[in-house]
């Protein structure tokens, strides 16, 4: 089977899974909810804006334009932590239904099968990401239409959206890799849930900020949400944007590579 045919086969498997459609609707619903909250919250903050373009937030003045860009990123990041559900469900279907052996009859090369699944998952996640991009643009328009409508077409908006989509795809693929390694949908979800928990509770950061910066969710937060000109709201950032992006990519490469190695060595049960 050619690579294109293998990718088409994996994509077909994804879109025929009822559980994937359920999770897709949950992800789109969560995205819509967080974008809706972002509009209301930002417009409320704009009521305190002064002639210098500053508004009050947590009893301190904040540059409204920078906060606008940050709000777009947060609106993608918050529902984005649910995307491990998608990666785990897609990968776990092979093991949950005993389909792996059948898949290997169609695609004898395990490496080709996993790569095809990765590409198909990327394409499917990008489709949801496009939905998030539309939500973000609508959200941005509603936030600035009566304030500074020109900001809608500024590079900052599109950089935040592209960074957000990158995060959605990478976090989905990392979870897919963990699920292939563990061969259990629940374990893939629990591993990523653990990373989310230690980032939000700052358990590792309290011991070592350098160690915290090396965890995937913290790296994603450092990459997507950090702006040195903005005051920190929530847990402190533990690395630069660039370092966060590099760490996130290293997690992706490492987990996917390890999953490929294990898939080649294990039996098909």
């Amino acid at each position: 089977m050619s690579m294109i045919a293998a990718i088409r086969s994996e994509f077909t498997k994804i879109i025929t899974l009822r559980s994937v459609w359920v999770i897709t609707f949950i992800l789109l619903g969560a995205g819509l909810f967080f974008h809706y909250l972002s509009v209301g919250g930002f417009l409320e903050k704009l009521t305190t804006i002064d002639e210098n373009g500053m508004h009050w937030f947590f009893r301190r003045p904040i540059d409204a334009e920078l906060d606008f860009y940050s709000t777009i990123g947060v609106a993608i990041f918050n529902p984005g932590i649910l995307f491990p559900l998608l990666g785990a469900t897609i990968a776990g279907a092979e093991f949950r239904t005993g389909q792996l052996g059948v898949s290997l009859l169609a695609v004898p090369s395990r490496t080709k099968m996993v790569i095809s699944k990765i590409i198909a998952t990327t394409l499917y996640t990008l489709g949801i990401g496009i939905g998030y991009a539309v939500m973000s643009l609508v959200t941005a328009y509603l936030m600035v239409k009566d304030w500074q409508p020109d900001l809608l077409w500024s590079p900052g908006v599109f950089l935040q959206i592209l960074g957000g989509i990158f995060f959605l795809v990478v976090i989905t693929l990392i979870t897919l890799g963990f699920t292939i390694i563990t061969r259990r949908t629940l374990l893939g979800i629990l591993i990523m849930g653990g990373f989310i928990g230690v980032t939000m509770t700052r358990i590792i950061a309290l011991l070592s900020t350098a160690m915290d910066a090396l965890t995937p969710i913290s790296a994603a937060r450092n990459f997507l949400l950090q702006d040195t000109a903005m005051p920190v709201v929530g847990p402190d950032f533990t690395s630069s944007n660039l370092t966060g992006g590099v760490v996130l990519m290293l997690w992706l490469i490492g987990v996917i590579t390890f999953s490929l190695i294990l898939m080649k060595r294990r039996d098909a049960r």
Side-chain angles (χ1 to χ4, degrees), residues 163-229:
I165 294 174
F166 169 78
F167 161 65
L168 299 180
V169 172
V170 170
I171 209 67
T172 301
L173 292 180
I174 290 175
T175 313
L176 179 135
F178 276 131
T179 306
I180 292 175
I181 291 169
T182 62
R183 295 194 167 198
R184 294 291 185 274
T185 302
L186 182 58
L187 284 179
I189 294 171
L190 288 177
I191 290 172
M192 291 309 299
F195 282 125
I196 293 169
V198 298
T199 296
M200 298 310 174
T201 59
R202 304 190 68 230
I203 292 175
I204 296 179
L206 292 173
L207 300 174
S208 170
T209 56
M211 288 178 58
D212 181 76
L214 296 177
T215 60
I217 299 300
S218 184
R221 184 172 174 270
N222 293 332
F223 164 73
L224 185 61
L225 303 184
Q226 186 170 194
D227 189 327
T228 55

Side-chain angles (χ1 to χ4, degrees), residues 25 27 30 35 63 115 131 143 152 158 160 171 180 228 234 244 249:
F25 284 119
L27 296 177
H35 280 81
D63 188 300
I115 292 175
M143 287 192 291
L152 181 63
F158 293 97
Q160 284 286 359
I171 209 67
I180 292 175
T228 55
M249 281 303 300

Side-chain angles (χ1 to χ4, degrees), residues 6 12 35 80 86 95 106 128 138 143 147 151 197 211 218 221 224 226 233-234 238 241-242 248-249 254 267:
T12 300
H35 280 81
L86 180 64
F95 309 107
I128 302 177
V138 172
M143 287 192 291
W147 172 49
L151 286 180
M211 288 178 58
S218 184
R221 184 172 174 270
L224 185 61
Q226 186 170 194
V233 177
T238 52
N241 303 85
L242 177 59
L248 201 57
M249 281 303 300
D267 59 38

Side-chain angles (χ1 to χ4, degrees), residues 75-134:
I76 298 176
F77 179 83
N78 284 340
I81 61 176
L82 296 176
F83 272 69
L85 295 173
L86 180 64
T89 300
I90 291 174
E94 294 283 1
F95 309 107
R96 186 174 61 253
T97 62
Q99 190 177 6
L100 181 60
V102 177
S103 297
L104 290 174
L105 290 176
V107 187
S109 171
R110 299 187 180 200
T111 299
K112 180 186 287 187
M113 189 197 76
V114 175
I115 292 175
S116 299
K117 186 178 293 293
I118 291 169
I119 295 173
T121 302
T122 299
L123 293 174
Y124 188 83
T125 309
L126 282 174
I128 302 177
I130 291 172
Y132 271 55
V134 172

